[in-house]
Amino acid sequence: MLLPGLGDARRKLLEDWSLGRQHVVQTLTTKLSGWRSLPLQLCGVAHYDIDTARDSYRKSLAMYNASSDVPHHWLSVVMLDRASPLYQQGLNFLLGETPIDD
């Protein structure tokens, strides 16, 4: 310890720092958690990295299929529902068949 008698002040400072850090982490987690749910998860399909884009679509499809008993956002229905014309294109995208130029 550099200066005697600062042990309690240092402990209090470290406790406050830890509480503040926990608060920031919780706040950011809450604010950004929407990006891990539908329909925002579908935004990842536009990622520049094709593997990340496919992973995002795969996760979106799994979420959609796991929650078939609840109403979904129209974008989720258009892109992920088996009755949608885009459904087969999405599966082709997952399999690596991309009709767009690289």
Side-chain angles (χ1 to χ4, degrees), residues 9-20:
R10 182 175 188 269
R11 183 184 52 75
K12 177 66 175 148
L13 177 67
L14 291 175
E15 284 177 9
D16 286 347
W17 177 264
S18 178
L19 288 173

Side-chain angles (χ1 to χ4, degrees), residues 12 18 24 52 80 86 89 99 101:
K12 177 66 175 148
S18 178
V24 169
T52 302
L80 303 170
L86 292 179
Q89 289 182 2
D101 296 329

Side-chain angles (χ1 to χ4, degrees), residues 29-87:
T29 301
T30 302
K31 285 184 175 270
L32 300 175
S33 65
W35 289 101
R36 286 180 269 158
S37 61
L38 291 175
L40 295 178
Q41 175 72 35
L42 281 168
C43 293
V45 174
H47 199 277
Y48 67 90
D49 179 46
I50 195 74
D51 293 328
T52 302
R54 285 190 178 116
D55 187 51
S56 177
Y57 189 81
R58 188 176 295 109
K59 288 177 183 176
S60 298
L61 194 57
M63 281 189 273
Y64 185 84
N65 290 331
S67 61
S68 59
D69 57 335
V70 297
H72 287 283
H73 188 273
W74 66 269
L75 181 62
S76 300
V77 174
V78 167
M79 294 197 61
L80 303 170
D81 193 80
R82 291 174 192 248
S84 170
L86 292 179
Y87 180 76

